[in-house]
Amino acid sequence: MDSKTLQDRINQVFEQQKSHSLNLRTSSADLRIGMLRRLHDWILEHRQDIRDALFADYKKPNIETDITEIYPSLSEAKNTIKNLKSWMRVKRVPTPVTFLGTSAHIQYEPKGASLIVAPWNYPFNLAIGPLISAISAGCTAIVKPSEMTPNTSALIKRMISELFDENHVCVIEGGLEASQLLFAKPFDHIFFTGSPAVGKIVMRSASEYLGSVTLELGGKSPVVIAKDADLKDAARKIASTKFINCGQTCVAPDFVLIHASMRDEFVSYLKESIETLYETDGQAAIDSKDFGRIVNERHFNRLKELITDAKARGAVVAKGGKTDASQNFIEPTVITHVKPDMMVMLDEIFGPILPILDYTELDKALSFINTMPKPLALYAFSKSDKKLSYIFHKTSSGGAVANDCVLHFIHHELPFGGVNNSGIGKSHGHYGFLEFSNPKGVLKQRVGFTAVTPLFPPYNRAKEMIIDGLLKWF
Ligand code: NAD
């Protein structure tokens, strides 16, 4: 599509949706639930099509697509269908003494016309999850899937065109140009999932018309292993969550901080865990059906450079390290003797490379984390609840998990999102509904005045004395 046609198309869909968003303000819970049911059923019926698209994009194993794309989308839809009526219900609030004679409530109005921009790493789930929240809140949505996963993008477009009128939900495909044209439109809300660098562009664009934003970004999510942790258990859980999707997961453990005296034992368990996951019966990880590929050559070269730089500066590749450019393959790789100034420690890795850093005092490890931008997640392993609580209180992160990794992402009742550099706003379940809603505070005057009404001008000494009393009373 040439630039002029793309611009015209975006203008046309935006105007249609902006106008339809006014009709949706009064849409009932039943109507929204009906749409979510149809979306849910489509996903279930087209499970194999979704698997095929993901496999064609970056050889994502079928079962991994089931677990990380299809299951979270279905469960988000089901949870929303079950709870939407209660989330939409008007909430009465208590009346303070000074407001006697009034009543007040909160009603949840849809923000209006929304834009959802998705990344490539979980390209189905991260487009559909926010869409479920937008529909539940009564918003229209333009969805822009990632251009880096074109098969999944085409499938999402097909699904949306089969299920929705264009004036309600519509997919605009494309890369940088499409994103830039979309960000320039005055959406009521933008839900962006991607890198902090592009998140800043989104926020700058939205500031032009003061649109609200949800930014689901990334960062370096640390794992802290305390001296009393079960090392074998920690290694198994860290390996399985780090290397799933080839490490291309926003909440993947990015690096491990471990007491120096325990590092070698932990690394040996880590090697065992990787072998169990991807090298069964002595096969090489490259032949494993269960291990995917890096999404494209640019990211492959970026990751290879991280290994080369670390090795050149004295790090040790304790496991893996092999690459194959012909198929964007990088082995599950563990690197020890890592220093904070190595390239692998400067930015989010987003690939199957796990640096291990030693510490000698837990407090110094936590101080080190606090020198970095706040991460999307923090994982801590310890047998002591007191120590876990200490770690979570001394650090700041979007979310946290004790004695496991990543699982908080699929817990319905938890808000999911980052903090500052790793994101703004929360998603999933009720939090996703709230993100696309304006909780409008409504006050109803019932008797014609409140306790403060007599205090309006003209001011005089008597009123001042009443105020003196009131200020002391409250
Ligand atoms: P990205 O920021 O490069 O791209 C995301 C989207 O922004 C794409 O649709 C792309 O077309 C668009 N885009 C890219 N460059 C742009 C520009 N200069 N101007 C306007 N739009 C632009 O992110 P990605 O590489 O697709 O995904 C990886 C990142 O996403 C990682 O940082 C990861 O941590 C993060 N992520 C976060 C979450 C979360 O839930 N917090 C989930 C998955 C991924």
Side-chain angles (χ1 to χ4, degrees):
M1 206 184 274
D2 65 55
S3 299
K4 168 85 174 64
T5 319
L6 181 63
Q7 173 80 77
D8 289 348
R9 171 85 179 126
I10 288 173
N11 289 345
Q12 175 217 353
V13 177
F14 178 80
E15 290 308 329
Q16 277 176 355
Q17 292 201 349
K18 192 86 186 164
S19 157
H20 187 56
S21 68
L22 304 183
N23 304 332
L24 287 179
R25 282 186 187 162
T26 48
S27 60
S28 66
D30 284 334
L31 185 90
R32 300 179 196 179
I33 287 169
M35 288 171 182
L36 293 172
R37 281 222 170 89
R38 290 213 312 278
L39 179 65
H40 173 277
D41 294 349
W42 195 101
I43 295 172
L44 211 51
E45 280 159 26
H46 295 81
R47 177 177 169 194
Q48 194 54 45
D49 294 349
I50 300 168
R51 288 165 145 201
D52 292 345
L54 267 293
F55 191 82
D57 279 330
Y58 61 115
K59 283 201 164 62
K60 186 153 172 160
N62 278 340
I63 296 182
E64 212 163 285
T65 294
D66 287 345
I67 300 170
T68 63
E69 306 274 2
I70 297 176
Y71 166 72
S73 304
L74 290 177
S75 103
E76 182 76 16
K78 271 196 159 166
N79 180 45
T80 306
I81 289 166
K82 189 171 141 219
N83 293 299
L84 186 57
K85 282 192 175 156
S86 124
W87 296 343
M88 283 176 70
R89 203 165 290 140
V90 161
K91 307 261 180 314
R92 295 289 296 256
V93 296
T95 305
V97 176
T98 38
F99 282 86
L100 282 179
T102 70
S103 69
H105 67 258
I106 302 165
Q107 71 187 53
Y108 296 90
E109 67 178 25
K111 279 189 177 171
S114 77
L115 169 67
I116 295 168
V117 176
W120 55 266
N121 64 325
Y122 290 94
F124 187 80
N125 171 33
L126 295 176
I128 302 313
L131 177 60
I132 290 167
S133 300
I135 295 169
S136 71
C139 291
T140 61
I142 292 181
V143 180
K144 197 205 82 65
S146 174
E147 67 277 24
M148 300 227 273
T149 41
N151 294 284
T152 310
S153 175
L155 181 85
I156 293 173
K157 189 177 168 74
R158 188 185 123 207
M159 174 179 85
I160 298 301
S161 62
E162 286 177 21
L163 290 173
F164 296 95
D165 290 335
E166 216 172 76
N167 64 1
H168 185 194
V169 185
C170 178
V171 169
I172 298 283
E173 290 186 284
L176 185 58
E177 189 183 15
S179 300
Q180 286 170 337
L181 291 171
L182 285 165
F183 291 145
K185 304 299 292 179
F187 284 97
D188 295 302
H189 189 73
I190 299 182
F191 191 111
F192 171 82
T193 308
S195 58
V198 182
K200 289 176 193 172
I201 295 174
V202 176
M203 205 164 170
R204 264 198 296 274
S205 310
S207 74
E208 286 299 319
Y209 48 87
L210 293 177
S212 56
V213 292
T214 307
L215 303 177
E216 292 286 358
L217 310 177
K220 291 185 83 62
S221 299
V223 183
V224 181
I225 302 185
K227 271 183 100 173
D228 64 344
D230 178 338
L231 289 188
K232 193 169 184 176
D233 179 63
R236 192 171 52 80
K237 289 168 174 167
I238 293 166
S240 53
T241 50
K242 170 72 187 184
F243 298 111
I244 196 166
N245 208 36
C246 254
Q248 303 166 118
T249 303
C250 55
V251 279
D254 189 273
F255 64 95
V256 172
L257 284 159
I258 187 161
H259 193 273
S261 65
M262 297 155 56
R263 184 231 301 143
D264 291 346
E265 189 186 351
F266 172 69
V267 169
S268 72
Y269 287 135
L270 210 45
K271 286 186 196 170
E272 261 176 48
S273 300
I274 294 170
E275 282 156 18
T276 309
L277 288 166
Y278 303 114
E279 299 170 13
T280 38
D281 303 323
Q283 74 172 350
I286 196 167
D287 298 321
S288 168
K289 294 191 308 302
D290 301 334
F291 191 66
R293 295 295 180 264
I294 304 307
V295 72
N296 61 22
E297 195 185 341
R298 180 169 68 82
H299 280 286
F300 169 82
N301 287 330
R302 178 184 63 79
L303 290 162
K304 196 174 163 194
E305 176 67 11
L306 299 186
I307 302 176
T308 309
D309 172 79
K311 273 175 26 186
R313 302 223 241 151
V316 174
V317 175
K319 173 81 184 156
K322 290 202 197 87
T323 61
D324 180 346
S326 71
Q327 45 177 309
N328 293 335
F329 167 80
I330 296 187
E331 254 188 323
T333 298
V334 177
I335 308 181
T336 59
H337 301 80
V338 173
K339 298 278 174 303
D341 62 347
M342 291 176 179
M343 276 171 73
V344 78
M345 285 307 296
L346 300 183
D347 281 316
E348 181 182 11
I349 295 172
F350 223 58
I353 303 169
L354 184 62
I356 314 286
L357 285 86
D358 306 344
Y359 69 81
T360 47
E361 285 169 45
L362 183 62
D363 275 330
K364 285 196 179 148
L366 302 184
S367 300
F368 172 65
I369 291 170
N370 289 336
T371 64
M372 306 175 92
K374 294 174 191 170
L376 188 54
L378 186 140
Y379 307 116
F381 286 82
S382 168
K383 291 193 184 110
S384 151
D385 282 344
K386 209 169 150 198
K387 192 161 285 171
L388 291 166
S389 166
Y390 180 75
I391 294 170
F392 293 155
H393 279 95
K394 290 284 275 189
T395 53
S396 172
S397 57
V401 182
N403 293 319
D404 216 319
C405 303
V406 174
L407 293 183
H408 65 307
F409 182 83
I410 46 176
H411 195 304
H412 291 144
E413 302 297 329
L414 288 176
F416 178 79
V419 51
N420 297 132
N421 199 63
S422 52
I424 292 175
K426 299 289 174 192
S427 60
H428 294 182
H430 192 198
Y431 297 93
F433 167 83
L434 291 175
E435 208 68 7
F436 284 89
S437 303
N438 170 37
K440 182 154 74 180
V442 179
L443 186 126
K444 275 191 191 159
Q445 180 59 270
R446 297 207 170 275
V447 293
F449 62 91
T450 67
V452 289
T453 311
L455 300 178
F456 292 153
Y459 301 128
N460 53 37
R461 182 63 198 137
K463 290 183 183 179
E464 195 176 3
M465 282 165 67
I466 297 172
I467 293 169
D468 286 348
L470 282 176
L471 292 180
K472 278 182 200 139
W473 185 27
F474 287 110

